[in-house]
Amino acid sequence: MESGNPNTLDAVELLFVRLGNPCTTLLYTTIDLYASDSEYHQALRAFMYQTEESNEEDHPDIPFLRGHISDVLRCFNEHGLRIAFIERLAPLLWGDEQPHWGSYQRHYLSLCRWIFQGRQVDKLSSDRTSVRNAPQPTPADHYRYLPKELTASQACAQCGKSSARLSCGRCLVLHGSHVTICTTYCDDKCRLRHWLTHKPTCDDRVRLIRSVAFMKAVFTTIMEELTMLTPWGCAERNGMTILEESFRTLDFLRGDPLLHKFPHDQLQTERHATMALQGEYAPYLRVNVMLLPLLLWLWSDMHHSVQEVPVLVKNVDRPLLKIGWTESGHFRSNVLRPHRVLQVSLLSGEVFAVDLAAGQFGWAESLMYWGHFVRHRVFDFTNFDPRGEMARYPLYDPNTAAGHFHKSLMVQIFDRCRGTGSEWLVVDDMHPFVKTELLDKVKEMTQAEASAIEGDAPEYLLARWKTRLERHGIKFREPQPSADDVVAGVSVFED
C-alpha cells in the first residue's frame, strides 16, 4: 500500500494509520499488552477529539466508529483494548467493501477480516502485511483435517522401506479416511517382528487416545446438562459461523436460575452445537483451574511432562463469531483470542498436542503429533494472559459461581471414575458412558451446592450490579441525596 502524508488525511484514515497492522503478534504478550493498549488508547482518544463536531456527512462511518470507540474506552475489556476494538468492527467485516473507504481503512479492515475468517495462511502475504486473493476458492472442509501429506506415513517401522501398506490398528487414529496417528508396515511379517518394540509405545498411545476422548466427553456432557449459554440462531456468513446468543448472566441478575440444559434444537446442526459447547468450556481448560486432578489420575505414570501452551491459531475451518451480550462487548471471535493446548511428552519420547476444544474451530482432530499441530495450526506462540479468566472474576460474579459449580461437579465425576477402575478404557462410546454411569449418579450430590448458589442470589445481585455500574464509569453520589432531592430532580449518580 502506498504511503501518504498524514497531514492530508481525514480523521478516519488517520485513525487507521495510527492503529498499524492488526496482524502484529508481538502485542499478544503480557508485557506488550499494556504498551499496545496505551497506543490504541492514544489513537482512539485522538479520533474522538478530532471528530467531536463531525457527523455522517463528513464520513459515513464516523457515527459508528464514535459509538464503537466510546464503548471500548468505557467498558472493561478482559483481553485488552486492541482485541476489544477489533472485535467490535465485526459489522464492517461481514459485508462487502464500501466505496467510501479510504486506502488505509480498506487495508486495515481487510486484515481484520482475514483474521476473523480463520487466519488461512495461503491468503496472506509472506510479510504478513496484506491479504492476497487465493488462486481458487477454498473447498468445503479444506481445513477440517490435517493435510494428508503431513500425516500419511509410507515408511515401514520395521525395515524402513517406503512401501508400507499396513498400519497398527490398535493405536491408529482415523477420522473418516484421514489418518492422524499411525505406525505403518510393509506386511504382517514386519508388523509381528516389530511388536515387542512397538508395544510400550502402542499401550501409551491407546491410553492417551482413550483419555482424550474421556475428557472431551466429561466437559461436553457437563456443559450440555448445566450451561449458562442460550444460543438462539446460527448461520454461515462471509466465511464465518455467526452464533447469536444470550447469556444466563442477565437472567440471573433478574433472579432466574443460573444454569440450564443446553438447547440443541436452537442450532442447525450438531457441528454447530459442538462449536458452541467447546467454545464455552474452552476457558476452563487450564491445568491449574480444572485439569490437574484429572491429569494426575490419567497420565501420572506415562508422561514425561505436560505443558499448557497458549497459541494464536491459523487455518481455521469454521471460525466462530459470537454475537450477544457479554461483559466486554457484543462480539467475540474465537480466532482473535489466544487458544490453549496441552503439549504432552510421553516416556516413549513421542510428543503430542491435546486440543480438547478443537471442535470450536471446526477441526476434527483433538489429538495429533505436536510437530503437525505447530506446522499447520499455530500462527504464533504467545505468553499473553487474558485479564478476564474465571479465577480473576470476583467471587460473587455469576461466571465464577458457574465455574465453581462445574469444578465441583467435575471433581465428583473424577472421584467416581477412580472407583470404576479401568472401565473407561474399554467403553466404545464414551459420551453415553459419562452421562449415564457418571453424571446422572453425581447430580444429586451437587443439588445442595446448586441450591446454595441460587439461595445467595440477592447478595450476588447487589454486588454484581454495583460492579457493573462501576465498570461503566457510573458511581453513586456520596452522600446519597434525600428522597425530596430526588423528587426535585437531583440524580443519585455522580456527574
Side-chain angles (χ1 to χ4, degrees):
M1 186 181 68
E2 295 181 3
S3 60
N5 182 354
N7 295 324
T8 66
L9 300 175
D10 63 36
V12 174
E13 281 287 87
L14 189 56
L15 169 66
F16 290 104
V17 170
R18 288 169 170 163
L19 295 179
N21 184 353
C23 295
T24 301
T25 57
L26 292 176
L27 301 179
Y28 283 87
T29 66
T30 304
I31 296 174
D32 291 335
L33 172 66
Y34 298 98
S36 170
D37 275 6
S38 177
E39 293 173 4
Y40 262 63
H41 190 274
Q42 291 177 17
L44 300 182
R45 284 289 185 193
F47 175 81
M48 294 295 281
Y49 177 77
Q50 285 181 281
T51 58
E52 197 167 5
E53 302 297 330
S54 302
N55 54 44
E56 193 170 357
E57 294 180 359
D58 299 304
H59 192 289
D61 288 338
I62 283 180
F64 167 79
L65 288 171
R66 283 187 59 84
H68 160 51
I69 292 172
S70 177
D71 286 343
V72 169
L73 294 175
R74 185 179 69 247
C75 292
F76 167 73
N77 302 301
E78 61 180 4
H79 286 73
L81 195 66
R82 177 173 178 262
I83 290 181
F85 175 80
I86 295 175
E87 283 186 325
R88 284 173 172 81
L89 291 176
L92 297 180
L93 302 178
W94 61 51
D96 297 327
E97 290 188 2
Q98 299 300 311
H100 62 264
W101 289 359
S103 59
Y104 288 98
Q105 182 180 4
R106 183 178 293 107
H107 180 254
Y108 185 93
L109 294 179
S110 69
L111 289 170
C112 290
R113 182 185 287 113
W114 173 80
I115 296 173
F116 275 67
Q117 291 176 338
R119 284 202 189 96
Q120 296 170 358
V121 294
D122 60 343
K123 300 176 183 177
L124 187 69
S125 64
S126 58
D127 61 359
R128 298 185 176 186
T129 61
S130 62
V131 178
R132 63 188 181 190
N133 293 324
Q136 56 188 7
T138 304
D141 292 344
H142 178 69
Y143 295 105
R144 179 165 171 74
Y145 308 95
L146 293 170
K148 290 184 178 180
E149 60 269 21
L150 191 65
T151 60
S153 173
Q154 300 297 325
C156 176
Q158 172 63 20
C159 67
K161 293 180 180 179
S162 59
S163 56
R165 297 176 301 169
L166 301 178
S167 297
C168 174
R170 190 165 175 261
C171 61
L172 174 68
V173 177
L174 196 65
H175 297 275
S177 61
H178 298 265
V179 175
T180 304
I181 298 170
C182 68
T183 297
T184 54
Y185 301 98
C186 295
D187 49 37
D188 281 333
K189 290 182 180 179
C190 280
R191 182 174 59 82
L192 291 173
R193 289 171 183 164
H194 192 250
W195 173 242
L196 290 180
T197 302
H198 176 61
K199 186 178 185 302
T201 299
C202 188
D203 289 342
D204 284 351
R205 282 186 189 174
V206 169
R207 186 168 171 183
L208 185 63
I209 292 165
R210 301 297 295 172
S211 64
V212 169
F214 175 76
M215 285 189 285
K216 286 177 60 181
V218 168
F219 280 106
T220 300
T221 302
I222 287 177
M223 290 303 169
E224 282 182 328
E225 297 296 324
L226 300 162
T227 183
M228 289 180 65
L229 183 64
T230 306
W232 52 274
C234 192
E236 305 291 331
R237 188 173 181 180
N238 201 5
M240 294 174 273
T241 299
I242 311 296
L243 175 66
E244 297 178 280
E245 59 181 358
S246 58
F247 288 78
R248 303 297 294 176
T249 302
L250 278 180
D251 298 318
F252 182 71
L253 291 175
R254 298 186 185 105
D256 292 343
L258 178 63
L259 302 172
H260 71 126
K261 195 176 181 70
F262 183 82
H264 280 267
D265 57 348
Q266 295 296 315
L267 299 177
Q268 296 176 352
T269 66
E270 278 303 307
R271 190 168 175 186
H272 287 143
T274 297
M275 294 173 69
L277 286 166
Q278 294 196 14
E280 188 184 9
Y281 73 60
Y284 291 165
L285 301 179
R286 300 293 305 270
V287 169
N288 62 341
V289 175
M290 287 285 192
L291 293 179
L292 187 58
L294 179 61
L295 299 183
L296 289 175
W297 169 55
L298 293 175
W299 299 342
S300 60
D301 59 347
M302 62 178 281
H303 77 277
H304 174 68
S305 66
V306 177
Q307 263 188 299
E308 180 185 290
V309 182
V311 302
L312 301 178
V313 297
K314 68 180 180 183
N315 295 332
V316 173
D317 185 62
R318 294 284 186 90
L320 184 65
L321 178 64
K322 295 183 178 181
I323 303 177
W325 182 89
T326 68
E327 184 64 41
S328 57
H330 297 279
F331 305 98
R332 289 188 298 164
S333 166
N334 66 346
V335 182
L336 187 61
R337 301 182 178 205
H339 174 60
R340 290 182 182 85
V341 296
L342 298 178
Q343 182 191 53
V344 183
S345 300
L346 300 184
L347 295 176
S348 63
E350 291 188 308
V351 184
F352 292 95
V354 175
D355 188 355
L356 297 172
Q360 68 168 319
F361 303 109
W363 291 331
E365 304 96 345
S366 295
L367 176 66
M368 67 223 81
Y369 290 114
W370 180 256
H372 294 171
F373 175 77
V374 171
R375 182 174 172 182
H376 198 254
R377 293 185 176 170
V378 175
F379 186 68
D380 215 336
F381 294 95
T382 172
N383 68 352
F384 178 72
D385 188 16
R387 292 174 286 185
E389 296 296 345
M390 179 189 73
R392 298 180 182 224
Y393 279 108
L395 290 177
Y396 49 77
D397 186 283
N399 294 282
T400 307
H404 285 300
F405 181 80
H406 288 145
K407 184 174 181 179
S408 175
L409 181 57
M410 206 165 297
V411 168
Q412 294 178 62
I413 288 177
F414 298 158
D415 288 341
R416 182 170 289 274
C417 286
R418 292 188 184 96
T420 66
S422 58
E423 182 181 351
W424 61 275
L425 277 171
V426 297
V427 176
D428 290 331
D429 194 342
M430 200 71 72
H431 195 105
F433 168 74
V434 169
K435 185 178 188 309
T436 60
E437 297 299 323
L438 302 175
L439 184 62
D440 287 349
K441 292 181 181 179
V442 299
K443 265 187 180 179
E444 59 189 45
M445 300 163 63
T446 61
Q447 290 305 309
E449 290 186 54
S451 299
I453 290 176
E454 306 300 344
D456 289 341
E459 288 73 17
Y460 275 109
L461 292 176
L462 291 173
R464 179 60 174 170
W465 277 114
K466 181 179 179 181
T467 302
R468 166 171 284 280
L469 292 171
E470 289 176 351
R471 283 177 176 173
H472 287 268
I474 302 172
K475 297 182 179 180
F476 289 102
R477 189 186 299 276
E478 295 292 346
Q480 283 288 303
S482 66
D484 291 337
D485 290 336
V486 173
V487 171
V490 176
S491 173
V492 297
F493 300 109
E494 291 183 0
D495 295 332

